[in-house]
Structures are given as structure tokens and as C-alpha cells.
Amino acid sequence: MPCCIVASERIRRGCDGGGLRRRLQRPHIMTKLTALATAAVLVSSASAHTIFQKLYVNGVDQGELTGIRAPDYDGPITDVTSNDIICNGGINPYHTPVSKAVIDVPAGASVTAEWHHTLNQAAGDPADPIDASHKGPVISYLAKIPDATQSDVTGLQWFKIYEDGLTPSDQSWAVDRLIANKGKVSFTIPSCIESGQYLLRHEVIALHAASSYPGAQFYMECAQINVTGGSGSKSPATVSFPGAYKGTDPGVKINIYQTLQNYTIPGT
């Protein structure tokens, strides 16, 4: 387990070394009825995508697209082996000019990511911040980087600081909570990490078409941050992108059109 893990009701990761409640997905059989339901969802939500486009630090709004590498198009990544899975920006080119801002974030601070269906979001959009059919987990990673504004993001080592998946008792998903909170997701930057510049990779995985691979839809953007006041007392275990996810992972290939007892959130 990475050093910066703590378990809470929604599974957050911090610095106390607490355990993470892992959720294991049981095998399933895709029924004809489920296939029809999946097809109906695909037709009704073919363009119901989303973009992470604003960050708050201890409740302070840092500004629209400030310090965030966000694309103009709100489409997903579906290939977990593509470099686009890192910070997007390949098949979905970044909005230009790409922000050169680096957001100062005190270690231990609460940050809030805000999602919307599109850039320049119009009022009254029923698919804002994301279509309700796009159920799945929300995940955040950090990677230390010499310069948070550098264009090359390959080869970085990422560690997970937050995840929220399925609540089996009521079959609600992290995306349901994101929608209820008007596109906002809050989590803590660990106090145990080193000070310095990082990329914050914040992600939604939509599972409405994930019964086969490729099918899961990955939405991610990276925010450019400068962590101050970190103790550096811990060195989290890391993963690489691409590489952290496989198409066969039970949290990537899954039929969500059933009562699930558990769910395995992808990534370490």
C-alpha cells in the first residue's frame, strides 16, 4: 500500500497509513436484456461527456482553466495503452493557449475539482456536469515533475491520493455524488509528500458501456500545482500511465446493469 492512504466512508488517501477497503468484482454473465439496456444508454448519451476545468484550493476558486490542461472537445479516452490516458490532449487537443499557471497548494489543503459537460458551459444543459448514465468511479493521482508546465508528461510516476467508487448498500456511484454536488469533487493533498511541483491527474471513468473492452470511457485532465510545506516524510508507491490500467481489469471491464456486491477501483 502507498504511504499516503487512509480509508474513510468514500475511500480517501492521506498520510496515516490506514487501510484501503478494496472492492472486488465478481464474475458476471451479460444477458440479452442487459445488452439492450446498454445499447439504449449508448444511443441516449453518445455525446454526454465531461471536462475537469476548474480547481479550488481551501475553497478559493483559482479561475476557469487556470493551471489546467483541458481539451476543447469533451470526448473520452478508451485505449488504456495510449499516452492519451496520461493527461489527455492527443486525440482531444488542448484548448489554446494552454495555461502556464502553476497553482500553489499547501500540503494538507483541501482541493475541489469542478467538472462540466463542455467548456463555456451553457445553462440548462441536462447532461451537465455529466450524463447520469455515465456511472463509475472518480480518482485522483499526483506525479512529481521538474516543471509542471512542461509539455512532456511521459515517464512520470503517479500515486493515488483519492478514490470513490460504488456504495453497494444503495448502488450509488461516485459519479452520482459528483452530479449531486453540481460537478464538484473535494479531496485532500497529503501533508506527508515532498514540497515541489506536481501534476494532479483527476479522472472520471464512465462504465455504462464497459461490458466489453474497449468500452469504459476515461475522462481526465491534469492540473499544474506547486505543493508547499510538505513534510516529505513518506514516499508513496507509484504506477505508470499507460500501464496502471489493463483492459481486463475488473474495474475496467464490467457489467454494471446488475446488483453489484463489490467493485474494484482500477489502479494501485
Side-chain angles (χ1 to χ4, degrees):
M1 286 290 182
C3 72
C4 297
I5 296 177
V6 348
S8 74
E9 182 181 2
R10 296 303 179 205
I11 309 184
R12 299 165 198 275
R13 298 184 171 216
C15 292
D16 70 352
L20 173 65
R21 293 177 294 174
R22 305 302 294 177
R23 293 169 169 168
L24 301 177
Q25 174 56 36
R26 295 177 176 175
H28 63 271
I29 298 175
M30 183 74 171
T31 66
K32 183 176 180 180
L33 181 60
T34 298
L36 292 172
T38 304
V41 168
L42 289 173
V43 170
S44 65
S45 58
S47 61
H49 306 318
T50 193
I51 301 172
F52 160 41
Q53 50 195 271
K54 187 181 288 191
L55 192 71
Y56 299 74
V57 179
N58 286 330
V60 178
D61 184 348
Q62 301 300 300
E64 187 77 12
L65 298 185
T66 299
I68 300 175
R69 307 174 184 209
D72 284 306
Y73 177 57
D74 58 357
I77 306 302
T78 59
D79 180 1
V80 297
T81 68
S82 167
N83 282 343
D84 289 343
I85 202 76
I86 306 173
C87 288
N88 212 330
I91 61 171
N92 302 321
Y94 291 138
H95 177 81
T96 56
V98 177
S99 177
K100 293 297 184 182
V102 178
I103 301 169
D104 286 328
V105 181
S110 172
V111 297
T112 300
E114 184 171 335
W115 296 81
H116 287 290
H117 182 194
T118 63
L119 297 185
N120 303 311
Q121 182 61 54
D125 180 354
D128 182 46
I130 188 172
D131 191 88
S133 67
H134 284 36
K135 298 183 185 299
V138 178
I139 310 171
S140 296
Y141 292 85
L142 287 175
K144 195 92 161 40
I145 191 168
D147 178 0
T149 66
Q150 70 185 54
S151 59
D152 183 8
V153 296
T154 59
L156 298 178
Q157 296 301 301
W158 300 85
F159 56 97
K160 189 183 290 186
I161 62 168
Y162 171 86
E163 61 180 16
D164 182 13
L166 172 71
T167 301
S169 59
D170 63 3
Q171 296 293 289
S172 65
W173 290 88
V175 164
D176 296 319
R177 291 180 275 279
L178 180 154
I179 292 170
N181 205 32
K182 302 185 185 304
K184 294 181 179 179
V185 179
S186 296
F187 49 94
T188 299
I189 299 299
S191 59
C192 61
I193 61 176
E194 291 182 334
S195 297
Q197 297 199 4
Y198 289 80
L199 289 180
L200 167 62
R201 180 183 179 277
H202 187 55
E203 173 181 44
V204 167
I205 305 177
L207 301 172
H208 56 291
S211 59
S212 61
Y213 175 82
Q217 296 182 354
F218 299 83
Y219 300 90
M220 81 298 297
E221 278 74 49
C222 290
Q224 302 159 176
I225 68 172
N226 179 50
V227 174
T228 60
S231 71
S233 62
K234 303 292 184 180
S235 298
T238 59
V239 297
S240 298
F241 284 101
Y245 303 158
K246 295 181 174 61
T248 54
D249 287 347
V252 172
K253 183 181 177 184
I254 180 174
N255 166 26
I256 65 169
Y257 302 102
Q258 59 179 313
T259 298
L260 296 171
Q261 300 302 313
N262 298 285
Y263 171 72
T264 303
I265 298 173
T268 301

